[in-house]
């Protein structure tokens, strides 16, 4: 293969035994330096370039993630709680500069002003102000928790503008060049939702699709959202956004948690997984003195359900596609072909990981760290094949998947229920790399279309420790791995005038726990940044031509 053979990276600073089909690892390196507070670098600094960086790469790798984990003597509990730190690696004429800024959210500003945690986050409850008297502190436990605007998950784009987002109803418009915070935007001012994911999908015409919940006295509804591609004026943000449809949970008082969703050419695919939210516990967490995430739990006795929504009509398909209990945070791709809808996603057979990523766990060392890692289920890429043309005449209790060389099954149990099993999108060699997460594809050309390649991080640690290129033709993989180096989510950037799907480069921030260092697949160039960078979540490539 002559394509994507370059992995171009930025850098900052045992015995094995088989258990349940997976390798139990021992002697894991402590990664505490990757989850420590760092200083921002608001002015661009040059990176030290080694080798050759292609001059056709013109733009910026934008990254987002937590970068501050305490205020005063108060510490956050969960990795998701840290204050958003935005990063920009500008690439131009074979040179690289780096800058970073903390998002000036209301949460950050209030916490900074009082030098204590003033705003509750996912895994950390803000304690009553010690300056209040005992009676005032008691009454404050009955106050409703306000959603945070700490948008630390990803960079996203609506109507040509860049935003940083989390999963509440707030996101922030930012200047993608200076990383300055520009405007706080509230989804609920435009449509009746109380939040939205940080993983929208974009159609070729620029229309964006997302999902968000709404709440009423009966409980929760899942809502499919669309945002038009064009601005109506220079100050426009989400004007014209609308709810395409609403989906009722199986139990409206215990809806599913979701981080993202899938989309094909004609359908939005919502995966209702048995990671559940106990709304009563969440609503009373402040009264009970418990963290918000204490209301999230895994129910392995419930099935996972795929809901299909027609993007043109907003109609929810009456046919529900079921599978066994599984959890998914990120989908790879979805596409329609010959009457089937293929949904490819990274899945785990257990959904308890979300409450495992406590900062104290990530900072452990020795046997304690090994124990945390070995308690987690691994995540693997899988394909579900959903037959679209289900009618009252569809034969029951037989496999409807007629696609050649596919081991996935889809058995119709009734006119509105199909039970599915998955096909692995990998060979056994992926087990040696701890599975795969943070998937990425050649999005602009192959999202919602049949495709061949995807990229991701291998996880032989609590964070990514390898980069993987998967070839669906033969389910072959290529791996970049160096002990002690921890790559971030890979971002694919196509070569100019690329004709092949994998003709391009992968950008990834590679971190080391000690001094700055970098290596690549077949190394073309490296850019070393002389500052500490914490391990982040998601990002995007901003082309200089856009």
């Amino acid at each position: 293969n002559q394509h994507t053979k370059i992995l171009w990276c930025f850098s900052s600073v045992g015995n094995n035994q088989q258990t349940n089909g997976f390798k139990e690892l021992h002697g894991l390196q402590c990664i505490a330096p990757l989850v420590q507070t760092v200083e921002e670098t608001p002015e661009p600094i040059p990176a030290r370039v080694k080798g050759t960086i292609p001059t056709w790469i013109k733009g910026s790798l934008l990254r987002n993630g937590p970068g501050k984990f305490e205020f005063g003597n108060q510490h956050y509990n969960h990795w998701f709680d840290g204050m958003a730190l935005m990063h920009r690696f500008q690439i131009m004429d074979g040179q690289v500069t780096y800058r970073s800024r903390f998002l000036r959210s209301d949460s950050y500003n209030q916490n900074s002003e009082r030098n204590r945690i003033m705003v509750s986050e996912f895994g950390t409850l803000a304690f009553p102000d010690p300056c209040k008297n005992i009676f005032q502190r008691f009454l404050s436990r009955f106050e409703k928790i306000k959603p945070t605007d700490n948008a630390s998950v990803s960079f996203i784009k609506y109507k040509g503008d860049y935003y940083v987002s989390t999963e509440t109803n707030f996101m922030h418009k930012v200047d993608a060049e200076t990383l300055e915070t520009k405007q706080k935007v509230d989804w609920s001012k435009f449509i009746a939702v109380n939040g939205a994911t940080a993983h929208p999908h974009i159609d070729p015409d620029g229309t964006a699709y997302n999902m968000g919940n709404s709440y009423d006295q009966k409980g929760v509804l899942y809502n499919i959202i669309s945002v038009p591609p064009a601005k109506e004026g220079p100050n426009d943000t989400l004007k014209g956004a609308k709810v395409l449809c609403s989906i009722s949970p199986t139990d409206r008082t215990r809806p599913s948690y979701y981080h993202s969703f899938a989309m094909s050419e004609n359908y939005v695919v919502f995966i209702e997984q048995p990671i559940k939210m106990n709304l009563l516990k969440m609503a009373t967490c402040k009264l009970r003195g418990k963290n918000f995430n204490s209301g999230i739990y895994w129910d392995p006795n419930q099935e996972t359900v795929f809901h299909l929504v027609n993007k043109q009509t907003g109609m929810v398909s009456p046919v529900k596609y079921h599978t066994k209990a599984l959890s998914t945070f990120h989908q790879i791709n979805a596409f329609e072909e010959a009457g089937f809808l293929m949904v490819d996603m990274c899945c785990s057979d257990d959904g308890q990981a979300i409450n495992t990523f406590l900062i104290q766990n990530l900072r452990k060392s020795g046997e304690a760290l090994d124990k945390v890692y070995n308690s987690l289920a691994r995540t693997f890429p899988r394909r579900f094949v959903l037959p679209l043309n289900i009618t009252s005449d569809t034969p029951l209790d037989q496999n409807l998947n007629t696609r050649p060389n596919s081991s996935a099954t889809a058995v119709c149990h009734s006119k509105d229920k199909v039970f599915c099993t998955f096909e692995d999108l990998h060979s056994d060699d992926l087990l040696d790399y701890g599975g795969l997460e943070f998937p990425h594809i050649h999005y602009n050309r192959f999202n919602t279309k049949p495709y061949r390649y995807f990229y991701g991080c291998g996880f032989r640690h609590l964070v990514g420790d390898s980069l993987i290129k998967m070839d669906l033709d033969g389910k072959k993989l290529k791996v970049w791995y160096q002990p002690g180096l921890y790559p971030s989510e890979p971002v694919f950037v196509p070569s100019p005038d690329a004709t092949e799907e994998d003709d391009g480069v992968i950008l990834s921030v590679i971190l080391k726990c000690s001094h700055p260092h970098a290596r690549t697949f077949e190394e073309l160039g490296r850019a070393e940044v002389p500052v500490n960078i914490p391990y982040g979540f998601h990002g995007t490539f901003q082309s200089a031509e856009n």
Side-chain angles (χ1 to χ4, degrees), residues 134-149:
I134 295 177
F135 182 65
Q136 289 174 321
R137 277 182 278 169
F138 173 75
L139 288 180
S140 69
R141 289 188 176 273
F142 296 88
E143 296 172 355
K144 182 180 178 182
I145 292 182
K146 296 179 181 179
T148 180
D149 66 336

Side-chain angles (χ1 to χ4, degrees), residues 332-400:
I332 304 167
N333 201 359
F335 62 93
E336 302 154 43
E337 194 172 62
F340 295 96
L341 172 59
M342 273 56 69
V343 182
D344 297 350
M345 56 192 193
C346 294
C347 304
S348 171
D349 294 323
D350 184 273
Q352 301 182 78
I354 193 170
N355 285 327
T356 301
F357 285 98
L358 303 175
I359 294 173
Q360 65 178 14
N361 287 341
L362 292 165
R363 291 177 178 172
K364 285 181 176 178
S365 60
E367 292 183 2
L369 174 61
D370 297 343
K371 184 177 180 180
V372 172
Y373 175 79
N374 291 321
S375 72
L376 293 174
R378 310 293 185 261
T379 301
F380 290 94
R382 298 169 175 172
R383 171 170 292 176
F384 289 87
V385 178
L386 313 183
L388 292 172
N389 303 315
I390 302 297
T391 69
S392 57
D393 297 325
T394 299
L396 303 181
D397 302 323
Q398 68 181 55
N399 184 15
L400 303 177

Side-chain angles (χ1 to χ4, degrees), residues 450-512:
Y451 70 113
R452 178 175 171 181
Y453 302 99
F454 64 94
Y455 311 85
C457 288
F459 273 79
R460 285 169 52 93
H461 211 304
L462 294 178
V463 298
D465 75 330
S466 62
L467 285 162
I468 297 173
K469 175 185 179 180
M470 292 295 304
D471 183 350
L472 293 176
D473 184 2
K475 299 179 182 178
K476 302 182 293 288
L477 59 77
K478 290 185 176 181
V479 179
W480 173 90
Y481 169 74
Q482 290 289 335
L485 300 182
Y486 301 94
S488 71
E489 168 192 63
V491 175
F492 179 82
V493 181
S495 301
D497 304 318
T499 57
E500 300 295 330
E501 178 182 345
D502 62 337
D503 187 358
V505 301
I506 288 294
L507 304 183
S508 176
V509 179
I510 309 274
L511 304 178
K512 187 174 183 179

Side-chain angles (χ1 to χ4, degrees), residues 171-207:
M171 59 182 183
H172 288 268
K173 183 187 289 187
V174 296
D175 187 316
E177 292 189 9
T178 65
L179 302 181
E180 293 175 329
T181 306
K182 291 297 186 183
Q183 182 181 358
K184 179 179 175 181
V185 178
D186 183 351
W187 278 97
S188 66
K189 301 296 184 184
F190 298 88
I191 50 176
V193 297
N194 297 87
T197 81
H199 291 287
H201 278 290
I202 312 297
D203 258 351
D205 68 353
T207 301

